Amino acid sequence: MPRTPDWFTTDEYRARLAQTRDAMERLGLDLMIVSDPSNMCWLTGYDAWSFYVHQCVVIGPDGPPIWFGRGMDAAAATRTCWMEDESAFIGYPDHYVQTPERHPMDYLWATLADKGWHRGFIGVEMDNYYFSAKAYAALREGLPEAQFLDATGLVNWQRAVKSDKELAYMRRAAAITERMHRRIAEKIEPGIRKCDLVAEIYDAALRFDEAEGYGGDYPAIVPLLPSGPDAAACHLTWDDAPMRANEGTYFEIAGCYHRYHVPLSRTIYLGQPAQRFLDTEKAILEGMEAGLEAARPGNCCEDIATAFFGTLDRYGIEKDSRTGYSIGLSYPPDWGERTMSLRRGDETELRAGMCFHFMTGLWMDDWGYETTESFAITDAAPEIFCNLPRKMLIKT
Amino acid sequence: MPRTPDWFTTDEYRARLAQTRDAMERLGLDLMIVSDPSNMCWLTGYDAWSFYVHQCVVIGPDGPPIWFGRGMDAAAATRTCWMEDESAFIGYPDHYVQTPERHPMDYLWATLADKGWHRGFIGVEMDNYYFSAKAYAALREGLPEAQFLDATGLVNWQRAVKSDKELAYMRRAAAITERMHRRIAEKIEPGIRKCDLVAEIYDAALRFDEAEGYGGDYPAIVPLLPSGPDAAACHLTWDDAPMRANEGTYFEIAGCYHRYHVPLSRTIYLGQPAQRFLDTEKAILEGMEAGLEAARPGNCCEDIATAFFGTLDRYGIEKDSRTGYSIGLSYPPDWGERTMSLRRGDETELRAGMCFHFMTGLWMDDWGYETTESFAITDAAPEIFCNLPRKMLIKT
């Protein structure tokens, strides 16, 4: 009962694999151990909430990718991956799970050694959430003849330019994001409890849309919606208190379809915002236009950032954080792709099919404002995924 | 605007800190670097979705814990942590975020060195999601005079016995879990799309309950609800297809309150289940009773497992995975506490206040069945958190 063929063709997966092997060859790798669930899914189609135990995809010198995971998750792997050969699935016994007595990577290195893959250059994702210090130590100890190379981001970079099918999924995610923001705008009012508003957000994110013909998947980050002075803090989630008049709240959320994300933030003020809000908004909207103008193939990531920061500078506003990042397929805890950043110094050349969240948020001492856009680079002007008014919604 | 005092008293946090320092001393640690967001929250109250960048809590030889994270998240830290002294918060500049050029742990080791904490024995959580191989390499390189010891689980183990306040939060989470399962039972029918049912689950999980006086937080794992042959696989999430008659579906979900989780699974069959379903259920329910009977202080974890597996054996049913784990405070990707497992060989003595998810699920070749309980060890019979019929709901 494979679900994957509905998502992408086997040809697309084979092309991704070939592209990854090319990148491995350029780095001199004989083998690659891929621990990032987003990379695992992109390479194989594997989709299950099993990344709380050790698992990976191994790209050997030839043949299909090998899924390696907890024995009980092999059933999810055979159902979601494109590989047909049984030998492409290796499950480890359950007594390796969450115990200091033995480590799943001990099982992996023994398996690799059996295949004669115990020497040469092995790429690992040194800086991924799901490749712990202990996992690395176990592999190194088990494969003393191998040389390990840091290949963090190697697969992520292959994902930078989206295929037509991936872009189609991004557009579906964007339609969900629009629904979510429209629902917020409709429901928000002084007195509504924040947890109830989040229930509305999930409802809009997930429910089947009869007109469009599809429902939503879980976003890799939960809704972020701090109010008033708390909006000075990024990444706060919610509580169950009623929303108050005369406070601003930003909503940083993403729609998700087949694990593809389109994040987008909007700010809503319940009452009449102070002039500083309106002045800041003016600067940000102008900076955003300037940044989008620079989002052209041939330019590079920092050109977008420079255009945006340049506008803020003219308004005397300082933002000390990056102003965006690449997006696409993702799993918790991050909906970013962890390759490109829209910041000074990132000289990655923009190419058609790259997708970004242009994170133009500002967090001040005791308030915050976020209005953002997600877009794809095209041959001409960027394709802006969502069609929502950028200006703060003022609800009095 | 600190939220934390609403959750736990400063005294409780101080007691946790003292208890952790005792454990550090037994291991001979001078310093402990805590990367697990659940441990960070338990020690400091820190609560934000920022664990997609490097962050930690440092327990030094004296004084309050030190929160270390991305500069922009310091605003969330000062709002949620109990520490009052500004020096307990260290934010790193944004150009350290997600770049191969420099690593946040470089900033950390420089900070530690400034404090004279660059030698001696430093405990790190070697096998935690949020302590990557690269983070460890950066620390080791930066602090060559320090000796690093694996202290995975050191803080988690301090969390094993819950305080009265923590148990009160578990009970609130349990009430949410009950609501979620009741909603499922009410809404499920052939034809309902799975994504719509998940929207209902989130609605029940989050909305403010006027009678109880509180709303819900996000669970660390999204709902798992595979149907029919897919129920052979654990950890599959959902799609947008309609549910079908003559299929069984298990629902593995958790209510969450102030980050405390009470997971619980139930199975629903739309139609008349085959006899194998009913036979299996009989064995599992009997085994569950036997396991709960063994869940007494003085017994150990494996006694519960042995009682359960012994019953299954008599019915000729084999389960090759552990049958439960400790629960409590948690963040994605896992609602387990990653200390005790209900499995043969786990000789941890049961003590009043320990909480478990008794995961008695069975995944067969082309179907699956889950009915589970979460409970707390007390001085006598265990406190079973939820009050829901264990038998499969048969809806024809």
Side-chain angles (χ1 to χ4, degrees):
Chain A
M1 163 150 296
R3 285 187 305 173
T4 307
D6 297 330
W7 289 21
F8 295 101
T9 62
T10 300
D11 280 352
E12 182 155 352
Y13 284 112
R14 287 190 193 282
R16 294 173 181 183
L17 179 63
Q19 188 186 331
T20 302
R21 282 215 169 95
D22 284 349
M24 286 168 58
E25 200 179 317
R26 286 194 295 275
L27 203 64
L29 295 179
D30 300 298
L31 199 81
M32 172 87 201
I33 295 174
V34 179
S35 313
D36 182 327
S38 311
N39 292 337
M40 289 175 66
C41 180
W42 186 78
L43 285 165
T44 68
Y46 183 61
D47 176 42
W49 191 291
S50 58
F51 36 86
Y52 70 93
V53 295
H54 288 284
Q55 55 179 23
C56 61
V57 161
V58 178
I59 311 284
D62 46 43
I66 293 173
W67 177 92
F68 173 85
R70 185 180 187 181
M72 65 162 69
D73 290 319
T78 53
R79 275 169 174 76
T80 57
C81 295
W82 63 271
M83 302 87 78
E84 286 176 0
D85 192 353
E86 228 177 73
S87 65
F89 301 92
I90 298 168
Y92 57 83
D94 212 67
H95 61 278
Y96 280 84
V97 172
Q98 294 183 351
T99 169
E101 309 282 318
R102 57 197 80 77
H103 200 280
M105 290 298 125
D106 295 338
Y107 199 92
L108 178 63
W109 65 249
T111 306
L112 296 180
D114 280 351
K115 290 179 180 293
W117 294 351
H118 58 294
R119 61 184 82 188
F121 292 92
I122 301 181
V124 288
E125 298 174 317
M126 288 289 285
D127 210 13
N128 188 268
Y129 316 107
Y130 299 103
F131 189 64
S132 71
K134 176 82 179 175
Y136 184 45
L139 281 178
R140 278 180 64 140
E141 197 179 314
L143 299 174
E145 291 180 61
Q147 296 250 45
F148 289 89
L149 288 182
D150 185 1
T152 306
L154 183 146
V155 179
N156 305 59
W157 277 102
Q158 307 317 309
R159 294 159 43 198
V161 172
K162 307 292 180 285
S163 71
D164 289 345
K165 193 76 179 265
E166 288 182 296
L167 285 170
Y169 290 169
M170 295 292 282
R171 289 180 198 115
R172 288 190 160 199
I176 294 174
T177 309
E178 288 182 358
R179 280 207 296 276
M180 294 163 77
H181 274 293
R182 289 200 183 107
R183 181 77 67 91
I184 294 166
E186 180 193 329
K187 295 288 177 183
I188 192 171
E189 59 179 16
I192 187 172
R193 290 184 187 270
K194 217 168 243 193
C195 57
D196 290 354
L197 195 54
V198 176
E200 295 286 349
I201 294 172
Y202 270 103
D203 192 85
L206 300 175
R207 273 195 197 273
F208 194 80
D209 184 303
E210 293 293 342
E212 302 276 354
Y214 59 88
D217 203 349
Y218 61 91
I221 302 181
V222 299
L224 306 173
L225 57 162
S227 298
D230 280 350
C234 351
H235 307 128
L236 287 177
T237 54
W238 63 85
D239 57 22
D240 56 11
M243 299 199 69
R244 291 189 291 207
N246 302 313
E247 281 192 345
T249 303
Y250 66 75
F251 295 84
E252 185 172 346
I253 56 176
C256 179
Y257 183 78
H258 285 354
R259 309 302 325 134
Y260 285 81
H261 290 71
V262 170
L264 200 85
S265 306
R266 286 292 180 268
T267 299
I268 301 182
Y269 202 97
L270 296 175
Q272 188 53 46
Q275 193 59 36
R276 60 182 182 182
F277 259 93
L278 302 170
D279 293 345
T280 303
E281 172 167 80
K282 185 169 183 292
I284 287 180
L285 294 185
E286 199 180 311
M288 187 184 272
E289 286 294 350
L292 290 171
E293 199 55 45
R296 295 290 191 285
N299 278 355
C300 64
C301 286
E302 80 167 350
D303 292 327
I304 301 174
T306 301
F308 176 72
F309 289 130
T311 307
L312 289 200
D313 283 347
R314 280 205 307 282
Y315 282 88
I317 297 173
E318 196 197 346
K319 176 176 159 79
D320 59 3
S321 54
R322 65 177 179 174
T323 190
Y325 44 82
S326 53
I327 51 171
L329 172 67
S330 210
Y331 281 88
D334 188 12
W335 58 39
E337 220 168 40
R338 294 180 295 286
T339 48
M340 297 165 273
S341 288
L342 304 182
R343 58 160 66 117
R344 291 185 178 111
D346 191 324
E347 296 180 354
T348 312
E349 190 182 322
L350 299 171
R351 292 164 58 199
M354 288 178 169
C355 298
F356 295 92
H357 183 208
F358 193 8
M359 172 31 91
T360 47
L362 276 184
W363 305 278
M364 314 311 246
D365 277 350
D366 60 351
W367 61 287
Y369 175 95
E370 288 189 10
T371 192
T372 72
E373 292 288 1
S374 282
F375 62 81
I377 300 292
T378 76
D379 291 332
E383 175 184 349
I384 295 170
F385 282 121
C386 291
N387 181 16
L388 288 166
R390 286 183 198 155
K391 274 198 167 179
M392 174 164 45
L393 175 66
I394 296 174
K395 239 179 154 173
T396 47
Chain B
M1 161 148 296
R3 285 188 305 172
T4 306
D6 297 330
W7 290 20
F8 295 100
T9 62
T10 300
D11 280 351
E12 181 154 352
Y13 284 113
R14 287 191 194 281
R16 293 172 180 182
L17 180 62
Q19 186 187 331
T20 301
R21 282 216 168 95
D22 284 349
M24 287 169 57
E25 200 179 317
R26 286 194 295 277
L27 204 64
L29 295 179
D30 301 298
L31 199 81
M32 172 88 201
I33 296 173
V34 180
S35 315
D36 182 329
S38 311
N39 292 337
M40 290 175 67
C41 180
W42 186 77
L43 284 165
T44 68
Y46 183 61
D47 177 43
W49 190 291
S50 58
F51 37 86
Y52 70 94
V53 296
H54 288 283
Q55 55 178 24
C56 61
V57 162
V58 178
I59 311 284
D62 45 45
I66 292 171
W67 177 92
F68 173 85
R70 187 181 186 179
M72 66 161 68
D73 290 318
T78 53
R79 275 169 173 75
T80 57
C81 295
W82 63 270
M83 301 87 78
E84 286 176 0
D85 191 355
E86 228 176 73
S87 65
F89 301 92
I90 297 169
Y92 58 82
D94 214 66
H95 62 278
Y96 280 84
V97 172
Q98 297 184 350
T99 169
E101 309 283 318
R102 57 197 79 81
H103 200 280
M105 290 297 125
D106 295 337
Y107 199 91
L108 178 63
W109 66 249
T111 305
L112 296 180
D114 281 348
K115 289 179 181 292
W117 295 350
H118 58 294
R119 61 184 84 189
F121 292 92
I122 301 181
V124 287
E125 299 176 317
M126 290 287 287
D127 210 13
N128 189 267
Y129 315 108
Y130 299 103
F131 189 65
S132 71
K134 177 82 180 176
Y136 184 46
L139 281 179
R140 278 179 64 140
E141 199 180 312
L143 299 173
E145 292 180 59
Q147 294 250 46
F148 289 90
L149 288 183
D150 185 2
T152 306
L154 183 145
V155 180
N156 306 60
W157 277 102
Q158 308 316 311
R159 293 160 42 198
V161 172
K162 307 292 180 287
S163 71
D164 288 347
K165 194 76 180 266
E166 289 182 296
L167 286 170
Y169 290 169
M170 294 292 282
R171 289 180 197 114
R172 289 191 158 195
I176 294 174
T177 310
E178 288 181 358
R179 282 208 294 276
M180 295 162 77
H181 275 293
R182 290 200 182 108
R183 181 76 68 89
I184 294 165
E186 180 194 327
K187 294 288 179 183
I188 191 172
E189 60 180 15
I192 188 173
R193 290 186 188 269
K194 216 168 246 193
C195 57
D196 290 353
L197 196 52
V198 176
E200 295 285 349
I201 294 172
Y202 270 103
D203 191 85
L206 300 175
R207 272 193 196 273
F208 193 80
D209 184 304
E210 292 294 341
E212 302 276 356
Y214 60 89
D217 203 350
Y218 61 90
I221 302 181
V222 299
L224 307 172
L225 56 163
S227 299
D230 279 349
C234 352
H235 307 127
L236 287 177
T237 55
W238 64 86
D239 57 22
D240 57 10
M243 300 199 68
R244 291 189 292 207
N246 301 311
E247 280 192 344
T249 303
Y250 66 75
F251 294 85
E252 184 171 346
I253 57 177
C256 180
Y257 182 78
H258 284 354
R259 309 302 325 131
Y260 285 81
H261 290 72
V262 170
L264 201 86
S265 305
R266 287 293 180 267
T267 300
I268 302 182
Y269 203 96
L270 297 174
Q272 189 53 48
Q275 192 58 38
R276 60 184 181 177
F277 259 93
L278 301 170
D279 293 344
T280 303
E281 172 167 80
K282 185 169 182 293
I284 286 180
L285 294 186
E286 200 180 310
M288 186 184 274
E289 286 293 351
L292 289 172
E293 198 56 47
R296 295 290 191 283
N299 277 354
C300 65
C301 286
E302 83 166 349
D303 291 327
I304 301 174
T306 302
F308 175 72
F309 289 131
T311 308
L312 289 200
D313 282 349
R314 281 205 307 282
Y315 282 89
I317 296 172
E318 197 197 344
K319 175 176 161 77
D320 59 4
S321 53
R322 65 178 179 172
T323 190
Y325 45 81
S326 52
I327 51 171
L329 172 67
S330 210
Y331 281 88
D334 188 12
W335 57 42
E337 220 169 38
R338 294 180 296 284
T339 48
M340 299 167 273
S341 287
L342 303 182
R343 58 159 66 117
R344 290 184 179 112
D346 191 324
E347 297 179 355
T348 311
E349 190 182 321
L350 299 172
R351 291 165 57 200
M354 289 177 169
C355 299
F356 294 92
H357 183 208
F358 193 8
M359 175 27 94
T360 47
L362 277 182
W363 305 279
M364 315 309 247
D365 276 350
D366 60 351
W367 60 288
Y369 176 94
E370 287 189 12
T371 194
T372 72
E373 292 288 2
S374 282
F375 63 81
I377 300 291
T378 77
D379 291 332
E383 174 183 351
I384 295 171
F385 282 120
C386 291
N387 181 16
L388 288 166
R390 286 183 197 155
K391 273 198 168 178
M392 173 163 49
L393 174 67
I394 296 174
K395 237 179 155 173
T396 48

mmCIF file of all heavy atoms in Angstrom, chain A residues 82-98:
data_model
loop_
_atom_site.group_PDB
_atom_site.id
_atom_site.type_symbol
_atom_site.label_atom_id
_atom_site.label_comp_id
_atom_site.label_asym_id
_atom_site.label_seq_id
_atom_site.Cartn_x
_atom_site.Cartn_y
_atom_site.Cartn_z
ATOM 1 N N TRP A 82 9.743 4.684 -2.040
ATOM 2 C CA TRP A 82 9.606 4.223 -3.426
ATOM 3 C C TRP A 82 10.387 2.940 -3.699
ATOM 4 O O TRP A 82 10.136 2.257 -4.690
ATOM 5 C CB TRP A 82 10.055 5.309 -4.405
ATOM 6 C CG TRP A 82 11.508 5.707 -4.301
ATOM 7 C CD1 TRP A 82 12.030 6.677 -3.497
ATOM 8 C CD2 TRP A 82 12.615 5.167 -5.030
ATOM 9 N NE1 TRP A 82 13.388 6.772 -3.674
ATOM 10 C CE2 TRP A 82 13.779 5.858 -4.610
ATOM 11 C CE3 TRP A 82 12.743 4.172 -6.001
ATOM 12 C CZ2 TRP A 82 15.058 5.587 -5.119
ATOM 13 C CZ3 TRP A 82 14.017 3.898 -6.513
ATOM 14 C CH2 TRP A 82 15.150 4.600 -6.068
ATOM 15 N N MET A 83 11.341 2.587 -2.842
ATOM 16 C CA MET A 83 12.172 1.428 -3.109
ATOM 17 C C MET A 83 11.320 0.159 -3.006
ATOM 18 O O MET A 83 10.495 0.037 -2.109
ATOM 19 C CB MET A 83 13.335 1.349 -2.110
ATOM 20 C CG MET A 83 14.222 2.562 -2.101
ATOM 21 S SD MET A 83 13.649 3.893 -0.995
ATOM 22 C CE MET A 83 14.163 3.265 0.601
ATOM 23 N N GLU A 84 11.550 -0.774 -3.914
ATOM 24 C CA GLU A 84 10.714 -1.971 -3.913
ATOM 25 C C GLU A 84 11.414 -3.178 -3.323
ATOM 26 O O GLU A 84 10.782 -4.089 -2.806
ATOM 27 C CB GLU A 84 10.260 -2.276 -5.346
ATOM 28 C CG GLU A 84 9.184 -1.296 -5.785
ATOM 29 C CD GLU A 84 8.773 -1.488 -7.224
ATOM 30 O OE1 GLU A 84 9.321 -2.381 -7.906
ATOM 31 O OE2 GLU A 84 7.902 -0.714 -7.673
ATOM 32 N N ASP A 85 12.744 -3.179 -3.426
ATOM 33 C CA ASP A 85 13.514 -4.331 -2.975
ATOM 34 C C ASP A 85 13.501 -4.400 -1.440
ATOM 35 O O ASP A 85 13.774 -3.414 -0.764
ATOM 36 C CB ASP A 85 14.954 -4.169 -3.477
ATOM 37 C CG ASP A 85 15.735 -5.444 -3.297
ATOM 38 O OD1 ASP A 85 15.201 -6.382 -2.677
ATOM 39 O OD2 ASP A 85 16.885 -5.490 -3.773
ATOM 40 N N GLU A 86 13.197 -5.569 -0.924
ATOM 41 C CA GLU A 86 13.140 -5.747 0.524
ATOM 42 C C GLU A 86 14.469 -5.407 1.210
ATOM 43 O O GLU A 86 14.504 -4.979 2.356
ATOM 44 C CB GLU A 86 12.774 -7.201 0.843
ATOM 45 C CG GLU A 86 11.671 -7.337 1.863
ATOM 46 C CD GLU A 86 11.302 -8.808 2.064
ATOM 47 O OE1 GLU A 86 12.100 -9.520 2.697
ATOM 48 O OE2 GLU A 86 10.237 -9.221 1.570
ATOM 49 N N SER A 87 15.552 -5.632 0.466
ATOM 50 C CA SER A 87 16.868 -5.396 1.070
ATOM 51 C C SER A 87 17.145 -3.909 1.279
ATOM 52 O O SER A 87 18.142 -3.537 1.898
ATOM 53 C CB SER A 87 17.965 -6.000 0.187
ATOM 54 O OG SER A 87 17.998 -5.317 -1.061
ATOM 55 N N ALA A 88 16.258 -3.059 0.783
ATOM 56 C CA ALA A 88 16.433 -1.616 0.991
ATOM 57 C C ALA A 88 15.890 -1.167 2.339
ATOM 58 O O ALA A 88 15.899 0.023 2.645
ATOM 59 C CB ALA A 88 15.743 -0.846 -0.135
ATOM 60 N N PHE A 89 15.427 -2.106 3.155
ATOM 61 C CA PHE A 89 14.850 -1.754 4.459
ATOM 62 C C PHE A 89 15.522 -2.557 5.555
ATOM 63 O O PHE A 89 15.495 -3.788 5.534
ATOM 64 C CB PHE A 89 13.348 -2.014 4.457
ATOM 65 C CG PHE A 89 12.621 -1.229 3.391
ATOM 66 C CD1 PHE A 89 12.392 -1.774 2.129
ATOM 67 C CD2 PHE A 89 12.216 0.078 3.635
ATOM 68 C CE1 PHE A 89 11.750 -1.055 1.142
ATOM 69 C CE2 PHE A 89 11.570 0.814 2.650
ATOM 70 C CZ PHE A 89 11.339 0.253 1.395
ATOM 71 N N ILE A 90 16.144 -1.878 6.487
ATOM 72 C CA ILE A 90 16.822 -2.552 7.598
ATOM 73 C C ILE A 90 16.265 -2.024 8.919
ATOM 74 O O ILE A 90 16.390 -0.838 9.230
ATOM 75 C CB ILE A 90 18.344 -2.321 7.542
ATOM 76 C CG1 ILE A 90 18.901 -2.917 6.249
ATOM 77 C CG2 ILE A 90 19.029 -2.925 8.763
ATOM 78 C CD1 ILE A 90 20.319 -2.514 5.952
ATOM 79 N N GLY A 91 15.638 -2.919 9.663
ATOM 80 C CA GLY A 91 15.089 -2.529 10.965
ATOM 81 C C GLY A 91 15.937 -3.100 12.085
ATOM 82 O O GLY A 91 16.399 -4.238 12.009
ATOM 83 N N TYR A 92 16.144 -2.280 13.118
ATOM 84 C CA TYR A 92 16.909 -2.801 14.265
ATOM 85 C C TYR A 92 15.955 -3.246 15.375
ATOM 86 O O TYR A 92 14.838 -2.735 15.478
ATOM 87 C CB TYR A 92 17.946 -1.795 14.765
ATOM 88 C CG TYR A 92 17.438 -0.434 15.192
ATOM 89 C CD1 TYR A 92 16.915 -0.230 16.471
ATOM 90 C CD2 TYR A 92 17.515 0.656 14.346
ATOM 91 C CE1 TYR A 92 16.479 1.030 16.868
ATOM 92 C CE2 TYR A 92 17.077 1.925 14.737
ATOM 93 C CZ TYR A 92 16.565 2.097 16.000
ATOM 94 O OH TYR A 92 16.122 3.333 16.400
ATOM 95 N N PRO A 93 16.409 -4.204 16.198
ATOM 96 C CA PRO A 93 15.545 -4.746 17.250
ATOM 97 C C PRO A 93 15.201 -3.684 18.295
ATOM 98 O O PRO A 93 15.947 -2.730 18.505
ATOM 99 C CB PRO A 93 16.391 -5.856 17.886
ATOM 100 C CG PRO A 93 17.482 -6.143 16.911
ATOM 101 C CD PRO A 93 17.714 -4.873 16.154
ATOM 102 N N ASP A 94 14.065 -3.901 18.961
ATOM 103 C CA ASP A 94 13.523 -2.887 19.851
ATOM 104 C C ASP A 94 14.348 -2.665 21.120
ATOM 105 O O ASP A 94 14.240 -1.618 21.750
ATOM 106 C CB ASP A 94 12.078 -3.234 20.226
ATOM 107 C CG ASP A 94 11.235 -1.988 20.454
ATOM 108 O OD1 ASP A 94 11.003 -1.266 19.461
ATOM 109 O OD2 ASP A 94 10.860 -1.718 21.596
ATOM 110 N N HIS A 95 15.174 -3.631 21.481
ATOM 111 C CA HIS A 95 15.948 -3.425 22.717
ATOM 112 C C HIS A 95 17.105 -2.448 22.501
ATOM 113 O O HIS A 95 17.831 -2.139 23.437
ATOM 114 C CB HIS A 95 16.418 -4.750 23.319
ATOM 115 C CG HIS A 95 17.325 -5.556 22.438
ATOM 116 N ND1 HIS A 95 16.872 -6.372 21.424
ATOM 117 C CD2 HIS A 95 18.672 -5.657 22.411
ATOM 118 C CE1 HIS A 95 17.896 -6.944 20.824
ATOM 119 N NE2 HIS A 95 18.997 -6.529 21.396
ATOM 120 N N TYR A 96 17.247 -1.933 21.271
ATOM 121 C CA TYR A 96 18.207 -0.843 21.026
ATOM 122 C C TYR A 96 17.591 0.536 21.301
ATOM 123 O O TYR A 96 18.291 1.543 21.250
ATOM 124 C CB TYR A 96 18.686 -0.876 19.569
ATOM 125 C CG TYR A 96 19.766 -1.901 19.283
ATOM 126 C CD1 TYR A 96 19.442 -3.222 19.007
ATOM 127 C CD2 TYR A 96 21.115 -1.539 19.301
ATOM 128 C CE1 TYR A 96 20.426 -4.160 18.752
ATOM 129 C CE2 TYR A 96 22.106 -2.470 19.051
ATOM 130 C CZ TYR A 96 21.755 -3.786 18.773
ATOM 131 O OH TYR A 96 22.729 -4.701 18.530
ATOM 132 N N VAL A 97 16.289 0.556 21.548
ATOM 133 C CA VAL A 97 15.600 1.851 21.657
ATOM 134 C C VAL A 97 15.783 2.478 23.037
ATOM 135 O O VAL A 97 15.481 1.834 24.048
ATOM 136 C CB VAL A 97 14.088 1.676 21.360
ATOM 137 C CG1 VAL A 97 13.315 2.953 21.659
ATOM 138 C CG2 VAL A 97 13.894 1.269 19.907
ATOM 139 N N GLN A 98 16.283 3.692 23.069
ATOM 140 C CA GLN A 98 16.349 4.508 24.291
ATOM 141 C C GLN A 98 16.872 3.751 25.497
ATOM 142 O O GLN A 98 16.207 3.633 26.532
ATOM 143 C CB GLN A 98 14.960 5.124 24.568
ATOM 144 C CG GLN A 98 14.572 6.115 23.477
ATOM 145 C CD GLN A 98 13.239 6.820 23.716
ATOM 146 O OE1 GLN A 98 12.495 6.468 24.614
ATOM 147 N NE2 GLN A 98 12.945 7.821 22.906
#
